[in-house]
Amino acid sequence: MNLQAVFLAFFLCGLVLLAGCTQQEAAAMPTPSPTPTVMPPDLSPVPTDTVPPEYRVHVTVTRNTYSFNPLVRVEFRGGRGMGLVSSLDAEIIRMDGTVGTARLEEPAIGGYMELPGTTGRDRVIVTATMMNGERYRIFDQVLEFRA
């Protein structure tokens, strides 16, 4: 009789274990990962510097209209202080947040730099560095692509 009781106990335990193993596991709820918030780039131009008359120089900034290769061209146009300029620096802040730079050393009239742009809005900043080390922001505008 003892053997039957032990066998019955094992059999019932096996049934209980088997019944517990046949239940479906509750699906794990995926924890939502926080999506990074990307701040749009600051495309707000600031006023250019007041350049003393003897240091004044001019640049022309234009865009091409090729959507497959949108370029921004910065061309040195000269000015009263053209002999005093050691370099021109151009910076483009693209609509997607990337930044590009170019430099024109000892610029001559007609010298230019080209920067890759986007087919949206890009901010272009041009800074003139004089022989004495002074730096002047001479251009700061947002340029819109026009097809």
Side-chain angles (χ1 to χ4, degrees):
M1 181 81 159
N2 235 354
L3 187 58
Q4 285 181 340
V6 170
F7 179 71
L8 185 60
F10 276 120
F11 181 72
L12 288 175
C13 285
L15 285 178
V16 168
L17 289 175
L18 186 64
C21 292
T22 61
Q23 293 179 355
Q24 292 182 350
E25 274 188 41
M29 294 297 288
T31 56
S33 61
T35 55
T37 55
V38 177
M39 296 297 293
D42 182 17
L43 296 179
S44 305
V46 297
T48 57
D49 296 329
T50 302
V51 181
E54 63 273 11
Y55 293 149
R56 284 197 187 129
V57 291
H58 305 283
V59 293
T60 302
V61 181
T62 56
R63 295 191 74 137
N64 68 9
T65 56
Y66 304 128
S67 61
F68 59 88
N69 187 23
L71 291 175
V72 173
R73 181 181 172 123
V74 179
E75 184 176 351
F76 183 65
R77 304 298 288 172
R80 192 168 171 192
M82 67 186 246
L84 303 172
V85 178
S86 65
S87 66
L88 287 176
D89 294 298
E91 177 181 14
I92 185 168
I93 303 170
R94 298 178 191 93
M95 192 171 81
D96 60 7
T98 59
V99 176
T101 59
R103 173 173 275 194
L104 191 59
E105 296 283 342
E106 298 180 7
I109 294 176
Y112 66 91
M113 322 173 242
E114 289 184 330
L115 299 136
T118 65
T119 55
R121 295 167 40 97
D122 299 322
R123 179 179 171 195
V124 180
I125 304 164
V126 181
T127 306
T129 303
M130 302 304 175
M131 296 286 185
N132 65 3
E134 303 246 352
R135 293 175 51 89
Y136 298 100
R137 181 184 304 235
I138 60 172
F139 185 92
D140 189 347
Q141 290 182 14
V142 174
L143 301 178
E144 191 112 19
F145 182 79
R146 300 199 193 290

